[in-house]
Amino acid sequence: MAPQLAWIGLGNMGRGMCKNLVEKGNLDKPLILYNRTQKRSDDLAAKFGSGKTKVVSEISDAVKDSDIVLLCLGDDDAVNTTVDVILKNDVKGKLIVDCSTVHPDTTNALEKRVTEAGAEFVGGPVFGAPPMADNGQLVCVMAGSKSAVDKYKPYTKGVMGRADIDYSGQPAGNATLLKVIGNTFILNMVEQLSSGHVLAEKTGLGTDNLHQFITTMFPGPYTAYSQRMLEGDYYQREEPLFHVDLARKDARHAMALAESSGSSVPMLESANKHLIAVKAHLGDKGDIPSIYGAVRKESGLKFENKE
């Protein structure tokens, strides 16, 4: 008999991950859904149809009837607060998986608390944008005891993701350490693309010519982010794919790790400065590629690249 799964936190990523658990996870029981705003749970459950999910109004209701509890929340405070509630319940023998992007110290502390309460714990962040979550194309990172990771793996590659990065037997915080460092690659990529497009525009090469080079030399994420910039998606989108506040949180974690380890991260510091400018200009519409607008404005151009 398959274990009972519960999901806590239904942001853009969480909704897509739940979709693939329901469709491809070989669940023989409804997936339990909890979100602080219950309407998100109700709306998602309605999309899946009768019998596929069970919506609950309290975290404790999600925990008591489940064998595996998965979390995907916005920041360290939200994760810690949620785990506080989870641990008020009897969790002996259960598996807690945190898919959130948090500081590795937070993950290691959670692992200690959860295992001391008699449960198992996996740090399980993912790489990929919300469309990749919808399509089951995430890269799933996992760290913790081998037995805990083995219980989680049936729901990663081939279900929620296209590939696993398996750190079995390593501290759970190694998964979020990789996630935080990995996200600096994305921020630095967007920073470089933004600077390159502004330079191409101001020197007369033109952004279309630079984009042709990018698509030829760097297919994949570089091309996708370049396209979003040139089409004006970076300021026109009503709901960001990667909210500016979450990007700033990830940057803060990475800069704190750099400071504590004596590392130099000048490109990340520049990206963080531009994210602050994005927040000031776009507010909650700010996204990672909105850095392009901040670099444009800093260089004497309009934030928006289209009339």
Side-chain angles (χ1 to χ4, degrees):
M1 183 177 293
Q4 173 69 67
L5 271 63
W7 190 279
I8 297 176
L10 294 171
N12 289 338
M13 295 293 288
R15 293 195 294 271
M17 295 167 80
C18 286
K19 170 181 175 288
N20 286 288
L21 281 175
V22 169
E23 293 178 353
K24 298 183 290 185
N26 295 316
L27 307 182
D28 59 11
K29 306 178 187 71
L31 176 64
I32 299 173
L33 300 176
Y34 170 82
N35 193 70
R36 184 176 59 181
T37 303
Q38 188 170 323
K39 186 177 185 302
R40 283 195 175 184
S41 299
D42 292 336
D43 290 347
L44 189 62
K47 289 183 179 179
F48 294 145
S50 177
K52 299 292 187 181
T53 59
K54 174 185 175 182
V55 174
V56 297
S57 58
E58 301 290 340
I59 292 173
S60 295
D61 292 331
V63 175
K64 70 181 182 182
D65 295 326
S66 62
D67 304 300
I68 300 176
V69 181
L70 299 101
L71 319 176
C72 191
L73 301 167
D75 58 30
D76 301 54
D77 287 343
V79 172
N80 280 321
T81 300
T82 300
V83 173
D84 286 344
V85 177
I86 289 173
L87 294 182
K88 290 179 180 178
N89 299 269
D90 181 5
V91 296
K92 291 182 177 62
K94 297 182 187 292
L95 170 63
I96 313 297
V97 180
D98 183 22
C99 301
S100 316
T101 301
V102 296
H103 195 287
D105 289 351
T106 299
T107 305
N108 286 329
L110 290 173
E111 181 179 35
K112 184 174 187 296
R113 293 176 62 202
V114 168
T115 55
E116 285 177 349
E120 293 184 287
F121 183 84
V122 170
V126 296
F127 286 104
M132 296 173 69
D134 287 339
N135 295 326
Q137 293 297 303
L138 299 171
V139 174
C140 301
V141 187
M142 57 202 81
S145 71
K146 185 177 186 305
S147 64
V149 170
D150 285 347
K151 290 178 183 177
Y152 177 49
K153 287 181 75 172
Y155 309 102
T156 56
K157 184 179 179 181
V159 180
M160 295 188 294
R162 63 175 177 82
D164 290 344
I165 297 177
D166 185 350
Y167 291 167
S168 294
Q170 299 184 31
N174 276 11
T176 41
L177 181 55
L178 175 67
K179 173 64 172 172
V180 170
I181 294 174
N183 276 4
T184 68
F185 281 58
I186 298 169
L187 285 168
N188 290 343
M189 173 184 66
V190 172
E191 181 79 4
Q192 183 59 61
L193 283 169
S194 300
S195 299
H197 275 308
V198 168
L199 185 61
E201 181 172 345
K202 297 202 73 173
T203 58
L205 174 65
T207 55
D208 288 342
N209 281 341
L210 183 62
H211 183 69
Q212 184 179 0
F213 161 76
I214 292 165
T215 58
T216 304
M217 292 293 294
F218 306 111
Y222 274 86
T223 295
Y225 275 105
S226 177
Q227 190 73 37
R228 290 183 65 193
M229 291 173 184
L230 298 190
E231 290 177 349
D233 176 85
Y234 70 93
Y235 68 90
Q236 295 172 344
R237 179 181 290 273
E238 288 299 322
E239 184 176 2
L241 295 179
F242 197 139
H243 196 288
V244 61
D245 290 347
L246 298 180
R248 290 178 64 194
K249 177 259 299 179
D250 292 353
R252 286 194 300 271
H253 284 336
M255 290 189 295
L257 288 167
E259 182 177 3
S260 64
S261 63
S263 304
S264 175
V265 286
M267 282 190 69
L268 182 61
E269 291 166 359
S270 178
N272 184 59
K273 178 187 70 173
H274 291 137
L275 286 170
I276 292 171
V278 166
K279 179 69 174 182
H281 191 89
L282 291 178
D284 285 334
K285 289 177 61 176
D287 206 334
I288 284 184
S290 308
I291 284 174
Y292 179 44
V295 174
R296 286 174 58 84
K297 190 172 180 181
E298 187 177 68
S299 304
L301 301 171
K302 287 185 63 176
F303 188 100
E304 298 79 7
N305 68 336
K306 296 184 180 295
E307 294 300 331

